[in-house]
């Protein structure tokens, strides 16, 4: 059933002005407008609004959200699974911080003793790896550049590129028994870094984050480990070591 803008505002908890702004910038345009000028939102509009708000929770700009949702390759189910993993990670961290608060109060009262380490359980100022994956999946300029360059190549060039990529994987797989920071491993992972930067523009930190995603996302792990069991973990560690080495 169609809903007026005021009804949507009250349902969702955002202002009418915000909904008007989304309409004005083409982010969320209601499916129908009455002859008297009332905006009417359909069920599909509400589903899109939900997705917009999920992305806002990840600190995407409205322009980025608009670009993501208008992309023909956007997969709503994939996005929901990503959001779910992020929220679960946040819930776990919040639960640990609440437990730390409770234990701290007991510590002050002399009921228990907390170690210095226990006083900071739950604090984590590193970036959430799932949020990093989300930004790489939907907001990383390097990925856009890679797609654009691939689209300009002939089928023969793309096949040659795939063969080069597989050869790098095979070389790394043959070295995975070595320390990731060894000269041999670092030379091989540097070739992977150079290869990726032919397609896009990866900073050392983005390279490190990509390596972490190889382990965090079982889809990547499964595909990479086809070249050798444990390769994804080895590449993650080698990419982290490489990022440390080349970062000023």
């Amino acid at each position: 059933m169609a809903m007026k803008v005021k009804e949507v505002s009250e349902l969702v908890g955002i202002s009418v002005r915000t909904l008007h702004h989304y309409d004005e910038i083409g982010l969320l345009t209601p499916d129908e407008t009455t002859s008297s000028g009332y905006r009417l939102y359909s069920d599909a509009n509400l589903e899109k609004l939900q997705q917009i708000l999920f992305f806002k929770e990840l600190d995407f700009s409205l322009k980025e959200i608009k670009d993501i949702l208008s992309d023909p390759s956007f997969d709503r189910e994939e996005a929901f699974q990503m959001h779910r993993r992020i929220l679960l990670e946040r819930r776990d961290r919040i639960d640990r911080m609440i437990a730390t608060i409770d234990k701290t109060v007991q510590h002050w009262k002399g009921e228990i003793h907390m170690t210095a380490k226990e006083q900071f359980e739950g604090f984590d100022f590193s970036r959430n790896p799932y949020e990093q994956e989300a930004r790489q999946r939907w907001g990383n300029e390097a990925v856009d550049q890679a797609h654009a360059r691939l689209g300009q190549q002939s089928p023969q060039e793309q096949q040659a590129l795939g063969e080069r990529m597989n050869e790098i994987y095979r070389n790394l797989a043959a070295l995975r028994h070595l320390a990731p920071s060894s000269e041999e491993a670092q030379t091989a992972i540097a070739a992977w870094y150079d290869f990726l930067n032919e397609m896009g523009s990866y900073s050392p930190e983005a390279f490190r984050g990509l390596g972490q995603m190889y382990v965090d996302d079982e889809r990547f792990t499964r595909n990479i480990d086809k070249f050798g069991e444990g390769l994804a973990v080895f590449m993650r560690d080698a990419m982290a070591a490489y990022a440390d080495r080349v970062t000023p």
Side-chain angles (χ1 to χ4, degrees), residues 124-157:
D124 184 1
F125 299 103
S126 63
R127 190 163 188 177
N128 180 347
Y130 293 129
E131 292 190 30
Q132 187 170 0
E133 178 189 349
R135 299 206 68 81
Q136 288 173 332
R137 172 62 181 86
W138 292 298
N140 192 308
E141 185 178 355
V143 177
D144 295 335
Q145 291 175 353
H147 287 169
R149 292 181 187 180
L150 282 173
Q152 296 170 358
Q153 293 182 338
S154 68
Q156 292 79 12
E157 289 173 325

Side-chain angles (χ1 to χ4, degrees), residues 29-199:
T29 301
D31 282 346
E32 185 181 350
T33 302
T34 67
S35 57
S36 54
Y38 287 108
R39 294 172 170 87
L40 298 179
Y41 292 79
S42 66
D43 290 342
N45 292 148
L46 293 180
E47 290 177 1
K48 185 174 183 180
L49 177 58
Q50 183 196 50
Q51 193 70 77
I52 290 169
L53 297 180
F54 273 129
F55 276 112
K56 276 181 61 65
E57 182 68 21
L58 300 183
D59 298 323
F60 280 82
S61 69
L62 295 181
K63 182 182 183 304
E64 288 173 326
I65 297 172
K66 181 180 178 182
D67 291 342
I68 291 167
L69 297 182
S70 61
D71 188 331
S73 67
F74 175 70
D75 186 325
R76 188 171 64 177
E77 182 177 354
E78 177 190 9
F80 278 133
Q81 292 299 328
M82 175 71 66
H83 293 314
R84 186 177 187 277
R85 292 203 298 273
I86 291 170
L87 291 173
L88 286 173
E89 192 278 338
R90 286 185 179 179
R91 183 179 70 181
D92 177 67
R93 185 164 63 89
I94 290 171
D95 286 344
R96 285 185 282 123
M97 292 183 73
I98 291 172
T100 298
I101 289 173
D102 293 340
K103 290 172 67 176
T104 300
V105 172
Q106 291 179 289
H107 175 70
W108 287 346
K109 292 179 178 180
E111 298 173 1
I112 64 170
H113 172 73
M114 292 183 75
T115 66
K117 181 178 180 181
E118 288 174 330
Q119 292 178 43
F120 297 95
E121 284 290 332
F123 291 98
D124 184 1
F125 299 103
S126 63
R127 190 163 188 177
N128 180 347
Y130 293 129
E131 292 190 30
Q132 187 170 0
E133 178 189 349
R135 299 206 68 81
Q136 288 173 332
R137 172 62 181 86
W138 292 298
N140 192 308
E141 185 178 355
V143 177
D144 295 335
Q145 291 175 353
H147 287 169
R149 292 181 187 180
L150 282 173
Q152 296 170 358
Q153 293 182 338
S154 68
Q156 292 79 12
E157 289 173 325
Q158 291 183 26
Q159 181 178 354
L161 196 69
E163 291 173 354
R164 281 182 57 202
M165 180 178 68
N166 289 341
E167 182 62 25
I168 292 172
Y169 277 132
R170 284 192 288 268
N171 288 340
L172 285 163
L175 299 172
R176 69 188 190 281
H177 63 286
L178 300 176
S181 59
S182 67
E183 286 302 320
E184 296 92 336
Q186 287 299 293
T187 298
I189 209 66
W192 181 234
Y193 182 75
D194 293 340
F195 177 84
L196 290 175
N197 275 288
E198 289 180 24
M199 296 295 99

Side-chain angles (χ1 to χ4, degrees), residues 6-32:
K6 188 173 186 300
E7 294 173 319
V8 175
S9 172
E10 293 173 349
L11 173 70
V12 179
I14 59 177
S15 68
V16 170
R17 180 68 193 95
T18 296
L19 290 168
H20 284 175
H21 179 60
Y22 289 175
D23 187 6
E24 291 164 3
I25 65 175
L27 177 60
L28 179 66
T29 301
D31 282 346
E32 185 181 350

